Amino acid sequence: DVVLTQSPATLSVTPGERISLSCRASESVDTYLHWYQQKPNESPRLLIKYASQSISGTPSRFSGSGSGTDFTLSINGVELEDLSNYHCQQGNSLPFTFGSGTKLEIK
Amino acid sequence: QVQLKETGPGLVQPTQTLSITCTVSGFSLTSYYMQWVRQTPGKGLEWMGFIRSGGSTEYNSEFKSRLSISRDTSKNQVFLKMKSLKIEDTGVYYCARGNSGNYFDYWGQGVMVTVSS
């Protein structure tokens, strides 16, 4: 199974900061790496697909990059509404797997 | 618009069988894969399995011996059945719509399942 390692586990941020979240795969997943945002007591919401493709409705401050085993989700100017958990997921091979998540909290 | 909604029991006894129904609207089950994902305190988000647009299934080997996914296209419903429940199966169970590239673009609100006697 592909193991996805997300870091950091928790990130304390100040509104307005530019931040980067990491997701590393134990083997290549090409660009079949997708990002989700999950707010407390809500379902995950697709944010970025295929490593870097934005989803309709995703604010432009969110961007994704990477391929193979190293991926990054960036937020250019964090806003209070971005305080959530972020999960990466690989769809390259079965079983599909998720990372353990990064929690964004206010500093 | 696309909507998914899970319904199921909130409480299940250990060793019993869990049954959850996902009712969808706004798209056809014969055009998309339907996925089941759960979120537990111990393991976070876990992909459980899917049913293809054609009706065949794939399961995570973690659950393979216990899990069954089926559907009724006439009712726009997908079903999850998992037997021999354990305490550690406690969590939120989601159905989600799958796309090529195997990302999940729409999710249900989830159903919280507690396994306890």
Side-chain angles (χ1 to χ4, degrees):
Chain A
D1 298 4
V2 176
V3 176
L4 298 179
T5 302
Q6 289 189 245
S7 61
T10 304
L11 185 61
S12 297
V13 301
T14 302
E17 260 188 277
R18 176 181 169 84
I19 63 165
S20 293
L21 312 183
S22 172
C23 177
R24 287 191 169 169
S26 59
E27 61 188 76
S28 175
V29 298
D30 196 352
T31 58
Y32 291 90
L33 190 287
H34 317 298
W35 290 95
Y36 300 84
Q37 178 189 58
Q38 186 178 25
K39 298 188 177 182
N41 300 314
E42 293 186 6
S43 309
R45 177 175 80 102
L46 181 67
L47 212 54
I48 300 280
K49 62 182 181 180
Y50 297 113
S52 62
Q53 294 183 18
S54 293
I55 303 300
S56 172
T58 297
S60 58
R61 61 183 179 273
F62 289 90
S63 63
S65 63
S67 68
T69 60
D70 286 346
F71 300 87
T72 301
L73 175 69
S74 299
I75 309 177
N76 189 11
V78 172
E79 299 191 6
L80 283 177
E81 66 180 26
D82 301 335
L83 301 180
S84 304
N85 284 289
Y86 292 86
H87 307 275
C88 56
Q89 175 249 324
Q90 66 84 18
N92 185 63
S93 60
L94 293 175
F96 306 140
T97 50
F98 290 84
S100 54
T102 292
K103 180 179 180 180
L104 232 53
E105 60 179 30
I106 198 78
K107 190 177 286 184
Chain B
Q1 73 273 30
V2 173
Q3 291 186 318
L4 297 81
K5 184 176 182 180
E6 305 90 344
T7 52
L11 180 65
V12 181
Q13 292 191 337
T15 76
Q16 297 301 300
T17 297
L18 172 66
S19 295
I20 301 175
T21 297
C22 173
T23 302
V24 310
S25 59
F27 68 98
S28 172
L29 295 178
T30 58
S31 297
Y32 290 89
Y33 289 21
M34 287 302 297
Q35 315 273 352
W36 286 95
V37 176
R38 75 176 187 179
Q39 189 166 29
T40 63
K43 292 193 173 183
L45 288 166
E46 286 183 283
W47 174 76
M48 301 181 72
F50 63 63
I51 184 164
R52 294 183 175 89
S53 52
S56 60
T57 53
E58 290 283 351
Y59 301 112
N60 188 332
S61 59
E62 189 77 18
F63 308 101
K64 195 165 189 174
S65 61
R66 304 194 286 149
L67 181 62
S68 173
I69 298 172
S70 60
R71 70 182 185 181
D72 184 337
T73 56
S74 69
K75 294 183 177 179
N76 295 320
Q77 292 180 327
V78 183
F79 310 105
L80 175 146
K81 286 192 190 317
M82 190 161 72
K83 59 185 181 183
S84 305
L85 283 199
K86 312 166 197 173
I87 303 291
E88 50 266 38
D89 291 319
T90 293
V92 181
Y93 287 72
Y94 297 100
C95 60
R97 192 177 80 168
N99 266 270
S100 58
N102 300 313
Y103 58 89
F104 312 142
D105 60 351
Y106 289 92
W107 296 63
Q109 88 277 10
V111 59
M112 177 68 206
V113 174
T114 300
V115 182
S116 174
S117 54

